[in-house]
Amino acid sequence: MMTDPIADMLTRIRNAIQIERPFVDVPYSNVKKGIAETLEREGYIWDFHVVEIEDAPQNILRVNLKYGPNGERVIQHIKRLSKPGGRVYCKIEDLVDVLDGLGINILSTSKGILSNREARKEHVGGELICEVW
């Protein structure tokens, strides 16, 4: 049994980037899909899609990773902030830029899973899921 499926997703992405894989497969959930949508909107991955497996109890979320023209990594750092044992929440006033705007925080808000830039536009706070740069 997995205690933190979001941390597992982020670790799979981190490991796949280290060995320069073109994609990574993670077990599907709506939260993971929301994280992948946010990473795609912010330009950190190419795209993602759901792979349906007939006999498996759970579908797969395939995330196509993005690299620069010379093979440089677009995602340099991806870290889980809020954990099951210690949740981290942030008000709209407390949202700060990551690396002076070069990175993002991903939040779970009442309006869905958003980056810190999108959360400021929507004027909502929420649970900090992870930081990416």
Side-chain angles (χ1 to χ4, degrees):
M1 185 175 106
M2 195 179 321
T3 58
D4 191 1
I6 295 171
D8 177 64
M9 174 188 182
L10 300 178
T11 299
R12 287 179 191 223
I13 291 173
R14 192 179 315 112
N15 291 341
I17 287 171
Q18 288 293 323
I19 60 172
E20 298 177 358
R21 298 243 344 216
F23 64 89
V24 64
D25 291 339
V26 295
Y28 177 84
S29 76
N30 287 332
V31 173
K32 293 176 191 176
K33 180 182 174 200
I35 293 170
E37 287 172 347
T38 304
L39 289 172
E40 182 181 14
R41 280 194 309 268
E42 293 290 334
Y44 287 98
I45 62 172
W46 286 115
D47 63 354
F48 67 92
H49 59 277
V50 178
V51 178
E52 296 181 15
I53 302 173
E54 292 180 25
D55 297 335
Q58 191 173 20
N59 293 333
I60 299 289
L61 184 68
R62 179 162 288 167
V63 178
N64 294 312
L65 302 171
K66 192 174 190 179
Y67 298 94
N70 297 326
E72 60 270 5
R73 300 175 182 125
V74 173
I75 298 176
Q76 298 287 322
H77 170 86
I78 187 165
K79 180 182 176 187
R80 180 87 155 113
L81 296 175
S82 182
K83 299 175 175 137
R87 300 290 183 186
V88 179
Y89 296 94
C90 190
K91 297 178 188 174
I92 185 67
E93 309 82 56
D94 300 332
L95 282 175
V96 294
D97 287 332
V98 178
L99 286 181
D100 291 328
L102 295 177
I104 62 166
N105 281 330
I106 298 178
L107 292 89
S108 176
T109 70
S110 59
K111 296 191 177 184
I113 300 206
L114 305 172
S115 70
N116 56 336
R117 296 178 193 133
E118 295 167 332
R120 254 190 244 109
K121 287 179 188 172
E122 296 287 332
H123 203 70
V124 292
E127 181 184 353
L128 287 172
I129 295 175
C130 64
E131 66 181 4
V132 184
W133 72 75

